[in-house]
């Protein structure tokens, strides 16, 4: 099966865009009060804060939503391959999810407390039991999962409105540890606070289920195909996503961070559809072909690049590394983000010139227990 170039390019944008949110967490040494809903420094208080807010309006949750949607699209490709070649489903896909769960656990312990891979692994196990059912059943599960998610997020938003000025507790301890503690002390801290840091991964499972199934349905209906029908469908998604997503994401400007949770977990996935259409349109028109090629290379080794970018950010900002974290300017943070993006492009380009798979993707394939592919078949997605 020939790789779908658009999926690789979208995945590359998703990896880079996810770092566009996480880079602020690294730079502020884990202090979420400085990243989301900073009541002491509203977005209009300074040019520096305005720059940060604009960046978060553009990236916060949008590319995470894209990455989640693409996981579902990748799962649908695997399901189609299993049906085409006569393999049982979900079968060994559950083993792939178990590997992802282990990968996410190690990444959480050793690198970053807000890792999303463990949540994807659990979601993958759930959705693998749904995806081979009828379209009607899939849509029903989407309505249930989406309803649970919207009710939960709306409830949290209402609580924030009644308790305006509230903040995350314990951030001083966290920033002090990341400013002066050793890497091993950070590892122990993550282990001791496993429940607190993994709460988000559990809470977003209904959203993940919805987006996994949406990605699968988009793949099934030909949205990612390179024919005229696929292009028309993507343009329609782009118009819907932009028309609804832009005003919804401007709710981030509401003072006091009241709407931050709503924007990240409800508004952002809507705008994700607009971003998908814009990126696809740029590819169709042949805009910046070399740049799109670099994003495609990142997408081909997305798991490796995701881990590498978080390791680089840790080394740059944490005290056991270069110690650049604390309260750096927004311009400095953005320059670091751009620098890491360039490094990832260079890393993936040079690596793929010599090897067909990224290092983590290669290890993944070695550990995976999967049926032998038929001659001439090519895996579109080497992760999940």
């Amino acid at each position: 099966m020939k790789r779908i170039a658009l999926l690789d390019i979208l995945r590359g944008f998703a990896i880079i865009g996810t770092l566009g949110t996480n880079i602020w967490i690294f730079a502020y040494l884990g202090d979420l009060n400085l990243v989301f809903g900073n009541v002491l420094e509203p977005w209009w208080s300074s040019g520096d804060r305005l720059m940060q807010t604009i960046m978060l309006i553009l990236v916060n949750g949008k590319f995470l939503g894209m990455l989640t949607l693409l996981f579902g699209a990748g799962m649908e490709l695997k399901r189609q391959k299993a049906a085409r070649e006569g393999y049982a489903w979900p079968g060994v896909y559950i083993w792939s999810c178990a590997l992802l769960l282990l990968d996410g656990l190690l990444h959480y312990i050793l690198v970053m407390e807000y890792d999303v891979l463990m949540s994807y692994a659990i979601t993958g196990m759930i959705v693998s039991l749904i995806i081979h059912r009828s379209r009607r059943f899939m849509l029903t599960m989407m309505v249930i999962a989406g309803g649970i998610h919207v009710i939960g997020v709306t409830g949290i938003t209402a609580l924030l409105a009644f308790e305006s000025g509230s903040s995350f507790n314990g951030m001083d301890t966290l920033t002090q540890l990341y400013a002066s503690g050793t890497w091993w002390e950070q590892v122990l801290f993550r282990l001791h606070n496993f429940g607190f840091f993994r709460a988000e991964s559990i809470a977003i499972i209904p959203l993940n289920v919805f987006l996994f199934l949406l990605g699968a349905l988009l793949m099934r209906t030909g949205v990612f195909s390179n024919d005229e029908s696929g292009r028309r469908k993507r343009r329609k998604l782009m118009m819907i996503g932009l028309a609804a997503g832009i005003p919804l994401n401007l709710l981030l400007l509401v003072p006091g961070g009241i709407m931050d949770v709503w924007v990240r977990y409800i508004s952002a996935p809507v705008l994700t559809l607009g971003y998908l259409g814009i990126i696809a349109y740029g590819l169709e028109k042949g805009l910046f072909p070399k740049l799109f090629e670099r994003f495609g290379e990142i997408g081909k080794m997305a798991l490796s690049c995701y881990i590498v970018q978080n390791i680089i950010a840790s080394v740059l900002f944490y005290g056991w590394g270069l110690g650049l974290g604390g309260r750096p300017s927004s311009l400095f943070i953005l320059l670091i983000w751009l620098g890491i993006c360039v490094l990832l492009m260079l890393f993936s380009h040079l690596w793929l010139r010599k090897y067909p798979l990224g290092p983590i993707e290669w290890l993944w394939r070695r550990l995976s227990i999967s049926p032998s592919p038929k001659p001439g078949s090519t895996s579109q997605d080497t992760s999940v």
Side-chain angles (χ1 to χ4, degrees):
M1 180 179 175
K2 186 178 179 181
R3 291 188 71 95
I4 302 175
L6 176 59
L7 286 184
D8 285 330
I9 292 169
L10 289 170
R11 198 177 289 115
F13 272 96
I15 294 297
I16 294 296
T18 301
L19 178 63
T21 299
N22 291 342
I23 195 72
W24 304 91
I25 300 176
F26 284 111
Y28 293 141
L29 303 178
D31 190 346
L32 298 182
N33 292 318
L34 297 179
V35 182
F36 308 113
N38 189 347
V39 296
L40 298 179
E41 297 180 23
W43 60 267
W44 63 83
S45 62
S46 67
D48 191 74
R49 184 75 174 105
L50 177 61
M51 185 181 298
Q52 178 192 1
T53 302
I54 292 173
M55 180 65 176
L56 291 176
I57 288 175
L58 292 174
V59 303
N60 184 23
K62 288 76 177 174
F63 291 98
L64 182 62
M66 184 179 292
L67 189 63
T68 310
L69 188 147
L70 292 172
F71 261 79
M75 185 191 295
E76 172 62 15
L77 285 174
K78 289 183 180 295
R79 186 204 64 81
Q80 291 178 9
K81 180 181 178 181
R84 188 170 58 249
E85 302 188 0
Y87 304 140
W89 180 268
V92 296
Y93 186 81
I94 298 296
W95 172 245
S96 295
C97 292
L99 282 177
L100 186 65
L101 186 65
L102 176 60
D103 189 0
L105 177 62
L106 292 174
H107 190 250
Y108 165 82
I109 294 172
L110 303 177
V111 182
M112 186 187 187
E113 59 272 19
Y114 299 109
D115 168 78
V116 74
L117 297 180
M118 294 178 69
S119 184
Y120 283 174
I122 296 172
T123 304
M125 293 178 186
I126 296 171
V127 174
S128 68
L129 303 176
I130 301 172
I131 196 174
H132 64 296
R133 303 288 295 274
S134 67
R135 176 185 175 88
R136 181 177 180 180
F137 184 77
M138 291 174 66
L139 289 172
T140 300
M141 292 298 101
M142 286 178 66
V143 170
I144 293 173
I148 293 171
H149 175 69
V150 170
I151 291 171
V153 172
T154 301
I156 294 173
T157 301
L159 289 175
L160 291 174
F162 283 115
E163 297 182 13
S164 58
S166 60
S167 60
F168 295 97
N169 296 321
M171 292 294 105
D172 290 342
T173 300
L174 184 64
T175 55
Q176 183 177 356
L177 172 66
Y178 282 10
S180 57
T182 64
W183 171 78
W184 183 244
E185 287 174 331
Q186 293 178 13
V187 167
L188 294 178
F189 184 80
R190 294 189 192 105
L191 288 172
H192 292 159
N193 294 276
F194 186 87
F196 172 78
F197 286 125
R198 295 290 78 192
E200 183 195 29
S201 293
I202 296 172
I204 63 174
I205 287 177
L207 173 62
N208 289 347
V209 169
F210 179 90
L211 290 175
F212 267 50
L213 290 173
L214 177 60
L217 287 175
L218 292 179
M219 175 60 68
R220 192 175 296 183
T221 55
V223 168
F224 298 104
S225 64
N226 195 33
D227 55 19
E228 183 58 33
S229 175
R231 287 190 284 271
R232 284 198 306 268
K233 291 172 182 177
R234 289 194 294 270
R235 283 194 287 270
K236 185 176 180 180
L237 279 179
M238 179 176 66
M239 298 305 296
I240 294 173
L242 294 178
I246 290 176
L248 284 174
N249 278 272
L250 290 178
L251 291 174
L252 193 68
L253 300 178
V254 174
I258 295 173
M259 298 301 297
D260 281 18
V261 172
W262 177 277
V263 169
R264 178 170 171 81
Y265 297 111
I266 293 182
S267 303
V270 176
L271 191 54
T272 290
L273 299 177
Y275 282 11
L276 187 156
I278 290 174
I279 295 168
Y281 184 78
L283 178 64
E284 294 164 16
K285 295 300 181 181
L287 302 177
F288 312 110
K290 291 297 182 181
L291 183 62
F292 273 75
E293 187 178 337
R294 299 290 84 78
F295 277 108
E297 289 169 342
I298 292 175
K300 289 178 182 177
M301 43 191 291
L303 193 55
S304 295
C305 287
Y306 172 71
I307 293 172
V308 166
Q309 70 185 18
N310 290 334
I311 292 174
I312 293 174
S314 299
V315 172
L316 290 175
F317 291 112
Y318 292 161
W320 54 263
L322 297 182
L324 301 178
R327 292 295 302 271
S329 70
S330 294
L331 179 59
F332 179 78
I333 295 172
L334 291 177
L335 289 175
I336 292 292
W337 172 66
L338 289 173
I340 295 176
C341 292
V342 172
L343 285 176
L344 289 180
M345 290 179 180
L346 183 62
F347 166 58
S348 57
H349 178 68
L350 294 178
W351 185 277
L352 290 174
R353 287 180 63 180
K354 188 168 185 178
Y355 305 104
L357 298 172
I360 304 300
E361 286 75 13
W362 173 85
L363 179 62
W364 191 284
R365 179 166 292 186
R366 296 282 293 182
L367 294 176
S368 294
I369 303 173
S370 58
S372 299
K374 290 184 176 181
S377 64
T378 304
S379 175
Q380 166 64 34
D381 189 354
T382 56
S383 55
V384 171

